[in-house]
Amino acid sequence: MNYIVFDLEWNQSPGGKKYSNSRLPFEIIEIGAVKMNEQREVVDVFQRLVKPQVYNWIHDSIHEVIHVDYKDLADGEPFQQAVREFLKWCGEEYVFCTWGSMDLTELQRNMTYHGMEIPFPRPLLYYDVQKLYSLEYSDGKSRISLDHAVEQLELNQERPFHRALDDAVYTGRTLRMIHMETYGIYRSIDYYRLPERGSSYKLKFPEYSKYISGEFDCKEEILKDKEIADIVCVKCARMLRKKIRWFSYGQRFYFALSICPEHGYMKGKIRVKKSEQDLYYAVKTIKAVGEEALPMLVQKREDNKKKKKNSSKQ
């Protein structure tokens, strides 16, 4: 199996959000990738400039970063051709690797816009190298830029940043610094194509589990779904009773807390997100936590009650 480490550059409406195409807010203008074997040695590279078909001028802020203008892209390939060549180049057995979570989403959104069939498996699992870097070299939560990671790892910086192939090369070099025997289990899951209604995607890791629901017509339906509302121990898969029932926190989050008699506290977190169809879905994380989680969640719940009470008085 190969690692396909890729990076995209994209353009957006030069006239601002008012003139943006809602179906394609970011139009891909460059694809860069490196292919690495199982030993994470680079065996091939891929680079294509893509001729824009939606936005006919480069947004000023993007031009400042990547130093490409519309004249450079005029000789680029049509998007459909570039992507077909990219996917053929990827081969049969591979896993995508990106810096952050946006590139796969934007690749699929651009493919959908251009009427292309998406050939990827569902669920689509990949390596977010930015997350892996944080797990091994930081606190597992913070996310830093690629250039800062390269600097902190003291990697060779003979190439510029912020072009697709260059950033793919640097992401691949960073991937080589990850101890995959330890952190290779932490695959990410892409949310662009969600489970069918009534089904879900599930991932299990040593310290936490992740659940992605299908779509719902409204947010209120989400917690009525028993599978979403349940909290299961991430260690022994025992169904747990809730010490703190699910409560809302802001517009998009819910929290709850249960106790496993064998493995201690399990914190539940639900994040409500909007799908491509402008419907709602849930990403539920259950994580093993220490005793300090109880007073922290109690305080969170009380703070939320106060906010609601104060807003109702206004």
PDB file of all heavy atoms in Angstrom, residues 108-122:
ATOM      1  N   GLN A 108     -13.586  16.584  -3.351  1.00  0.00           N
ATOM      2  CA  GLN A 108     -14.860  15.947  -3.651  1.00  0.00           C
ATOM      3  C   GLN A 108     -15.925  16.973  -4.032  1.00  0.00           C
ATOM      4  O   GLN A 108     -16.755  16.722  -4.908  1.00  0.00           O
ATOM      5  CB  GLN A 108     -15.323  15.125  -2.446  1.00  0.00           C
ATOM      6  CG  GLN A 108     -14.427  13.928  -2.172  1.00  0.00           C
ATOM      7  CD  GLN A 108     -14.799  13.223  -0.886  1.00  0.00           C
ATOM      8  OE1 GLN A 108     -15.546  12.250  -0.883  1.00  0.00           O
ATOM      9  NE2 GLN A 108     -14.276  13.734   0.233  1.00  0.00           N
ATOM     10  N   ARG A 109     -15.906  18.131  -3.395  1.00  0.00           N
ATOM     11  CA  ARG A 109     -16.875  19.176  -3.746  1.00  0.00           C
ATOM     12  C   ARG A 109     -16.658  19.646  -5.185  1.00  0.00           C
ATOM     13  O   ARG A 109     -17.613  19.858  -5.937  1.00  0.00           O
ATOM     14  CB  ARG A 109     -16.758  20.353  -2.777  1.00  0.00           C
ATOM     15  CG  ARG A 109     -17.789  21.450  -3.039  1.00  0.00           C
ATOM     16  CD  ARG A 109     -17.676  22.552  -2.012  1.00  0.00           C
ATOM     17  NE  ARG A 109     -18.233  22.133  -0.735  1.00  0.00           N
ATOM     18  CZ  ARG A 109     -17.658  22.347   0.445  1.00  0.00           C
ATOM     19  NH1 ARG A 109     -16.494  22.954   0.513  1.00  0.00           N
ATOM     20  NH2 ARG A 109     -18.236  21.937   1.556  1.00  0.00           N
ATOM     21  N   ASN A 110     -15.408  19.807  -5.585  1.00  0.00           N
ATOM     22  CA  ASN A 110     -15.109  20.192  -6.963  1.00  0.00           C
ATOM     23  C   ASN A 110     -15.518  19.084  -7.938  1.00  0.00           C
ATOM     24  O   ASN A 110     -16.041  19.352  -9.021  1.00  0.00           O
ATOM     25  CB  ASN A 110     -13.621  20.512  -7.121  1.00  0.00           C
ATOM     26  CG  ASN A 110     -13.260  21.943  -6.742  1.00  0.00           C
ATOM     27  OD1 ASN A 110     -12.925  22.762  -7.597  1.00  0.00           O
ATOM     28  ND2 ASN A 110     -13.319  22.261  -5.456  1.00  0.00           N
ATOM     29  N   MET A 111     -15.292  17.840  -7.559  1.00  0.00           N
ATOM     30  CA  MET A 111     -15.688  16.726  -8.422  1.00  0.00           C
ATOM     31  C   MET A 111     -17.203  16.686  -8.594  1.00  0.00           C
ATOM     32  O   MET A 111     -17.714  16.478  -9.700  1.00  0.00           O
ATOM     33  CB  MET A 111     -15.180  15.402  -7.839  1.00  0.00           C
ATOM     34  CG  MET A 111     -13.668  15.250  -7.892  1.00  0.00           C
ATOM     35  SD  MET A 111     -13.071  13.760  -7.050  1.00  0.00           S
ATOM     36  CE  MET A 111     -13.641  12.487  -8.190  1.00  0.00           C
ATOM     37  N   THR A 112     -17.933  16.899  -7.516  1.00  0.00           N
ATOM     38  CA  THR A 112     -19.389  16.916  -7.587  1.00  0.00           C
ATOM     39  C   THR A 112     -19.869  18.047  -8.487  1.00  0.00           C
ATOM     40  O   THR A 112     -20.767  17.867  -9.325  1.00  0.00           O
ATOM     41  CB  THR A 112     -19.994  17.065  -6.182  1.00  0.00           C
ATOM     42  OG1 THR A 112     -19.618  15.935  -5.384  1.00  0.00           O
ATOM     43  CG2 THR A 112     -21.510  17.150  -6.238  1.00  0.00           C
ATOM     44  N   TYR A 113     -19.287  19.215  -8.326  1.00  0.00           N
ATOM     45  CA  TYR A 113     -19.682  20.376  -9.135  1.00  0.00           C
ATOM     46  C   TYR A 113     -19.514  20.080 -10.622  1.00  0.00           C
ATOM     47  O   TYR A 113     -20.346  20.483 -11.442  1.00  0.00           O
ATOM     48  CB  TYR A 113     -18.852  21.595  -8.736  1.00  0.00           C
ATOM     49  CG  TYR A 113     -19.193  22.836  -9.526  1.00  0.00           C
ATOM     50  CD1 TYR A 113     -20.234  23.670  -9.133  1.00  0.00           C
ATOM     51  CD2 TYR A 113     -18.483  23.163 -10.680  1.00  0.00           C
ATOM     52  CE1 TYR A 113     -20.560  24.802  -9.859  1.00  0.00           C
ATOM     53  CE2 TYR A 113     -18.804  24.293 -11.411  1.00  0.00           C
ATOM     54  CZ  TYR A 113     -19.848  25.107 -11.005  1.00  0.00           C
ATOM     55  OH  TYR A 113     -20.175  26.219 -11.739  1.00  0.00           O
ATOM     56  N   HIS A 114     -18.447  19.371 -10.967  1.00  0.00           N
ATOM     57  CA  HIS A 114     -18.156  19.087 -12.368  1.00  0.00           C
ATOM     58  C   HIS A 114     -18.784  17.780 -12.835  1.00  0.00           C
ATOM     59  O   HIS A 114     -18.450  17.284 -13.930  1.00  0.00           O
ATOM     60  CB  HIS A 114     -16.644  19.060 -12.604  1.00  0.00           C
ATOM     61  CG  HIS A 114     -15.999  20.419 -12.514  1.00  0.00           C
ATOM     62  ND1 HIS A 114     -16.145  21.362 -13.509  1.00  0.00           N
ATOM     63  CD2 HIS A 114     -15.237  20.986 -11.552  1.00  0.00           C
ATOM     64  CE1 HIS A 114     -15.470  22.461 -13.169  1.00  0.00           C
ATOM     65  NE2 HIS A 114     -14.920  22.259 -11.982  1.00  0.00           N
ATOM     66  N   GLY A 115     -19.675  17.232 -12.039  1.00  0.00           N
ATOM     67  CA  GLY A 115     -20.421  16.054 -12.457  1.00  0.00           C
ATOM     68  C   GLY A 115     -19.618  14.771 -12.504  1.00  0.00           C
ATOM     69  O   GLY A 115     -19.977  13.833 -13.218  1.00  0.00           O
ATOM     70  N   MET A 116     -18.550  14.703 -11.728  1.00  0.00           N
ATOM     71  CA  MET A 116     -17.704  13.512 -11.728  1.00  0.00           C
ATOM     72  C   MET A 116     -18.152  12.532 -10.651  1.00  0.00           C
ATOM     73  O   MET A 116     -18.560  12.931  -9.552  1.00  0.00           O
ATOM     74  CB  MET A 116     -16.242  13.901 -11.491  1.00  0.00           C
ATOM     75  CG  MET A 116     -15.655  14.822 -12.542  1.00  0.00           C
ATOM     76  SD  MET A 116     -13.895  15.172 -12.251  1.00  0.00           S
ATOM     77  CE  MET A 116     -13.168  13.571 -12.658  1.00  0.00           C
ATOM     78  N   GLU A 117     -18.044  11.268 -10.954  1.00  0.00           N
ATOM     79  CA  GLU A 117     -18.336  10.236  -9.957  1.00  0.00           C
ATOM     80  C   GLU A 117     -17.206  10.183  -8.939  1.00  0.00           C
ATOM     81  O   GLU A 117     -16.029  10.250  -9.306  1.00  0.00           O
ATOM     82  CB  GLU A 117     -18.493   8.877 -10.635  1.00  0.00           C
ATOM     83  CG  GLU A 117     -18.813   7.750  -9.672  1.00  0.00           C
ATOM     84  CD  GLU A 117     -18.931   6.406 -10.364  1.00  0.00           C
ATOM     85  OE1 GLU A 117     -18.939   6.392 -11.617  1.00  0.00           O
ATOM     86  OE2 GLU A 117     -19.008   5.384  -9.664  1.00  0.00           O
ATOM     87  N   ILE A 118     -17.555  10.069  -7.668  1.00  0.00           N
ATOM     88  CA  ILE A 118     -16.552   9.976  -6.612  1.00  0.00           C
ATOM     89  C   ILE A 118     -16.279   8.501  -6.344  1.00  0.00           C
ATOM     90  O   ILE A 118     -17.167   7.778  -5.871  1.00  0.00           O
ATOM     91  CB  ILE A 118     -17.021  10.694  -5.335  1.00  0.00           C
ATOM     92  CG1 ILE A 118     -17.196  12.195  -5.621  1.00  0.00           C
ATOM     93  CG2 ILE A 118     -16.007  10.494  -4.202  1.00  0.00           C
ATOM     94  CD1 ILE A 118     -17.752  12.985  -4.464  1.00  0.00           C
ATOM     95  N   PRO A 119     -15.065   8.022  -6.642  1.00  0.00           N
ATOM     96  CA  PRO A 119     -14.790   6.588  -6.555  1.00  0.00           C
ATOM     97  C   PRO A 119     -14.285   6.113  -5.197  1.00  0.00           C
ATOM     98  O   PRO A 119     -13.950   4.940  -5.042  1.00  0.00           O
ATOM     99  CB  PRO A 119     -13.701   6.403  -7.618  1.00  0.00           C
ATOM    100  CG  PRO A 119     -12.921   7.680  -7.546  1.00  0.00           C
ATOM    101  CD  PRO A 119     -13.926   8.761  -7.220  1.00  0.00           C
ATOM    102  N   PHE A 120     -14.226   7.005  -4.226  1.00  0.00           N
ATOM    103  CA  PHE A 120     -13.617   6.650  -2.948  1.00  0.00           C
ATOM    104  C   PHE A 120     -14.550   5.789  -2.096  1.00  0.00           C
ATOM    105  O   PHE A 120     -15.776   5.885  -2.214  1.00  0.00           O
ATOM    106  CB  PHE A 120     -13.235   7.916  -2.171  1.00  0.00           C
ATOM    107  CG  PHE A 120     -12.425   8.888  -2.975  1.00  0.00           C
ATOM    108  CD1 PHE A 120     -12.664  10.258  -2.891  1.00  0.00           C
ATOM    109  CD2 PHE A 120     -11.420   8.445  -3.825  1.00  0.00           C
ATOM    110  CE1 PHE A 120     -11.929  11.159  -3.637  1.00  0.00           C
ATOM    111  CE2 PHE A 120     -10.682   9.343  -4.575  1.00  0.00           C
ATOM    112  CZ  PHE A 120     -10.937  10.702  -4.476  1.00  0.00           C
ATOM    113  N   PRO A 121     -13.996   4.961  -1.221  1.00  0.00           N
ATOM    114  CA  PRO A 121     -14.833   4.122  -0.359  1.00  0.00           C
ATOM    115  C   PRO A 121     -15.595   4.959   0.665  1.00  0.00           C
ATOM    116  O   PRO A 121     -15.240   6.110   0.935  1.00  0.00           O
ATOM    117  CB  PRO A 121     -13.819   3.203   0.334  1.00  0.00           C
ATOM    118  CG  PRO A 121     -12.531   3.977   0.303  1.00  0.00           C
ATOM    119  CD  PRO A 121     -12.554   4.745  -0.980  1.00  0.00           C
ATOM    120  N   ARG A 122     -16.660   4.385   1.199  1.00  0.00           N
ATOM    121  CA  ARG A 122     -17.409   5.016   2.283  1.00  0.00           C
ATOM    122  C   ARG A 122     -17.428   4.058   3.467  1.00  0.00           C
ATOM    123  O   ARG A 122     -17.869   2.929   3.323  1.00  0.00           O
ATOM    124  CB  ARG A 122     -18.837   5.341   1.838  1.00  0.00           C
ATOM    125  CG  ARG A 122     -18.904   6.302   0.679  1.00  0.00           C
ATOM    126  CD  ARG A 122     -20.302   6.555   0.197  1.00  0.00           C
ATOM    127  NE  ARG A 122     -21.101   7.329   1.158  1.00  0.00           N
ATOM    128  CZ  ARG A 122     -22.287   7.871   0.854  1.00  0.00           C
ATOM    129  NH1 ARG A 122     -22.792   7.714  -0.369  1.00  0.00           N
ATOM    130  NH2 ARG A 122     -22.957   8.546   1.739  1.00  0.00           N
TER     131      ARG A 122
END
